[in-house]
Amino acid sequence: MKKFSLILAVLIAPLFAKYSIDLGIVTTPNSFHYKAAEKFKQIVEKRSNGDIVVNIKHSGSVGSETSILQQLQMNALQMGVITAGPIDKFVPSIKAIEFPFIFDSYKKVDEILDGKIGQSILKNFSKANLVGYHFLENGFRNLTNSKRAVHSAKDVKGLKIRVMKSQLQIKIWKLIGANPTPMPWPIYTQLSQHVIDGQENPLAVIYQFKLYEVQKYLSLTRHVYSALVFVGSKDFYNSLPKKYQKLLFEATKEASIYERGLNRKKAQFFLDSLKKKGMIIDEHPDLQSFKEKVKPLRADFKGVAKKYLDEILSK
Ligand code: EAX
């Protein structure tokens, strides 16, 4: 009986909820994006006493990250956990934190993202009819490919590399010498069919999406720190009573801190696992050669993005 009423409560709870949040992610339930979304769901549903329900739409079932952002602008979705890369079309100032080799430690990441610069970037989401709630973590991005070992930038020459849908990311890989191809996630099929030779992502994503099956070489380039952002629909946010607006900020913050901790704790695990899976790993690529190639990028930065970039670089 007890079990029955519990099941009943779960089934009818959504009927009594006053607000419903559809939250989109492009990754699968084993990802950190999902773990963060799940934590957010637990907090929000509990602290709103069921007034708010959260439905996690995972694995790209509601479209690519760019499409999720567009749906958030129209309140067709209410929240998403989105990679910073494709956000730069909507919120150009976020480019400052996607600049190559700008972060050398988690300490600096947290200082910038949770500090004044991060806060102003999140505020800028409002101009795109979005809410930037909180930064969480995808991780440092590393290059993989199926063709050859990459130790220095010259080894990248001519490789067809899938990049995120971001002008900045395309430019980075052009400068390094690759043939960058922007595509939405996921890209396993394109890698396995050799439409592209390589890609770049944090170790967790490489492992969780089994890219080791189709990519032999991994270079720990850590070229870009990849933040994730809890993004929301501004219209939905404005429709909420103050106490629930506050709750969304609280819950995204707690879920982000939880996810960052989890992600960092497992970094070594993913490296060991990829080794066990047989990837050939260059743990100490010639980063200086990559840094040299991307130097001209700084001249492309204008306005607010330049202001943030200069500030981060001066720290
Ligand atoms: O969050 O599109 C990407 O490369 C992202 O880093 C990731 O895989 C999804």
Side-chain angles (χ1 to χ4, degrees):
M1 189 60 195
K2 220 172 171 187
K3 198 165 169 197
F4 177 71
S5 41
L6 190 70
I7 292 172
L8 197 66
V10 169
L11 286 177
I12 64 172
L15 300 177
F16 291 105
K18 293 190 184 131
Y19 304 98
S20 171
I21 294 178
D22 282 349
L23 184 157
I25 55 172
V26 297
T27 51
T28 39
N30 60 344
S31 68
F32 288 117
H33 310 53
Y34 188 91
K35 300 227 155 53
E38 201 177 33
K39 186 68 157 186
F40 168 77
K41 174 182 163 75
Q42 283 163 3
I43 297 172
V44 167
E45 292 183 347
K46 183 150 181 252
R47 293 191 202 156
S48 71
N49 292 316
D51 268 1
I52 308 179
V53 284
V54 179
N55 313 304
I56 304 174
K57 309 280 187 187
H58 60 83
S59 311
S61 62
V62 287
S64 67
E65 292 193 314
T66 302
S67 161
I68 292 173
L69 289 164
Q70 287 161 344
Q71 293 176 70
L72 291 172
Q73 288 182 312
M74 300 182 299
N75 200 8
L77 289 171
Q78 288 66 48
M79 304 252 329
V81 177
I82 307 293
T83 318
I87 296 176
D88 67 14
K89 219 173 120 205
F90 299 78
V91 186
S93 61
I94 203 166
K95 280 187 199 136
I97 60 163
E98 290 258 300
F99 195 82
F101 303 107
I102 202 166
F103 295 114
D104 47 12
S105 67
Y106 289 131
K107 190 167 162 271
K108 187 163 178 192
V109 166
D110 293 348
E111 239 169 65
I112 299 295
L113 298 193
D114 297 341
K116 244 179 47 210
I117 295 177
Q119 286 309 305
S120 0
I121 295 174
L122 291 175
K123 287 217 174 76
N124 292 341
F125 278 64
S126 176
K127 291 179 205 146
N129 206 34
L130 296 167
V131 181
Y133 285 100
H134 208 281
F135 286 109
L136 52 163
E137 185 155 285
N138 201 9
F140 285 97
R141 304 182 77 92
N142 299 289
L143 180 68
T144 70
N145 85 96
S146 57
K147 285 245 160 109
R148 55 180 175 259
V150 169
H151 180 68
S152 74
K154 68 174 187 337
D155 304 322
V156 173
K157 197 155 180 51
L159 287 179
K160 218 167 168 193
I161 304 292
R162 175 271 177 178
V163 296
M164 292 183 283
K165 286 196 140 187
S166 148
Q167 290 307 318
L168 173 63
Q169 300 305 314
I170 296 170
K171 184 81 190 275
I172 291 172
W173 287 97
K174 268 196 186 140
L175 287 171
I176 294 174
N179 179 2
T181 313
M183 285 177 184
W185 193 260
I187 51 160
Y188 183 95
T189 314
Q190 292 88 330
L191 287 170
S192 71
Q193 294 173 351
H194 298 282
V195 178
I196 38 178
D197 303 318
Q199 64 86 49
E200 41 83 57
N201 249 299
L203 298 180
V205 175
I206 296 169
Y207 183 76
Q208 287 157 349
F209 280 85
K210 296 190 165 53
L211 299 193
Y212 48 81
E213 292 176 355
V214 288
Q215 298 278 272
K216 192 149 194 64
Y217 304 99
L218 164 63
S219 310
L220 300 190
T221 44
R222 295 167 65 90
H223 49 277
V224 163
Y225 173 79
S226 191
L228 300 175
V229 187
F230 264 113
V231 190
S233 149
K234 193 166 146 188
D235 295 340
F236 173 72
Y237 177 81
N238 287 336
S239 76
L240 291 174
K242 280 250 147 34
K243 64 171 179 179
Y244 289 151
Q245 293 182 338
K246 226 180 112 213
L247 175 58
L248 293 195
F249 270 97
E250 243 170 57
T252 49
K253 181 175 179 182
E254 285 175 40
S256 298
I257 291 168
Y258 161 80
E259 184 271 344
R260 275 186 197 158
L262 201 66
N263 195 332
R264 290 172 191 182
K265 212 166 66 200
K266 296 210 69 177
Q268 189 61 42
F269 165 82
F270 289 116
L271 183 59
D272 294 343
S273 305
L274 290 169
K275 266 184 207 161
K276 276 191 206 130
K277 291 292 180 189
M279 284 191 101
I280 297 173
I281 306 180
D282 189 332
E283 294 194 42
H284 303 285
D286 172 11
L287 296 185
Q288 201 47 45
S289 68
F290 287 87
K291 288 179 186 171
E292 283 299 322
K293 293 273 189 200
V294 295
K295 263 191 181 153
L297 207 57
R298 228 178 136 172
D300 284 1
F301 275 64
K302 311 246 149 57
V304 192
K306 178 178 173 354
K307 191 178 141 244
Y308 295 154
L309 178 64
D310 290 345
E311 261 180 73
I312 301 173
L313 287 169
S314 71
K315 283 189 198 282

